Amino acid sequence: GVPNATDATITWTTDIASDSTVFWGLTAAYAGATSPIFDPAPTTSHSVQITGLTTLTTYHYSVRSRSTSTGGYSTSNDATFVTA
């Protein structure tokens, strides 16, 4: 999703039902932010909202999904977005 001034929605899809975790912060080490956002509900269409962001700021994020059936997981590469 497109970030606005104070929040952003991270969306992604998986081929099997998995939980959703977003790691985020001011650097690729995901420091300087709150803890990862975790949604345990199994789904293939993931959407996690990050709130309380600062305007005109670059944030780093990475997503991880763990299969609810096998326990295997995958993690995305680091990506960034800029708030409005």
Side-chain angles (χ1 to χ4, degrees):
V2 177
N4 65 28
T6 58
D7 62 75
T9 302
I10 310 299
T11 58
W12 70 101
T13 59
T14 52
D15 57 353
I16 54 177
S18 307
D19 64 19
S20 311
T21 304
V22 173
F23 302 92
W24 63 284
L26 297 173
T27 70
Y30 311 118
T34 61
S35 12
I37 301 168
F38 175 67
D39 181 352
T43 184
T44 56
S45 181
H46 306 266
S47 179
V48 174
Q49 186 176 36
I50 305 172
T51 59
L53 303 177
T54 302
T55 58
L56 299 174
T57 302
T58 299
Y59 287 91
H60 290 255
Y61 71 95
S62 173
V63 301
R64 182 178 73 193
S65 291
R66 184 184 304 270
S67 165
T68 52
S69 59
T70 68
Y73 66 90
S74 60
T75 304
S76 74
N77 292 327
D78 179 66
T80 60
F81 63 85
V82 180
T83 49

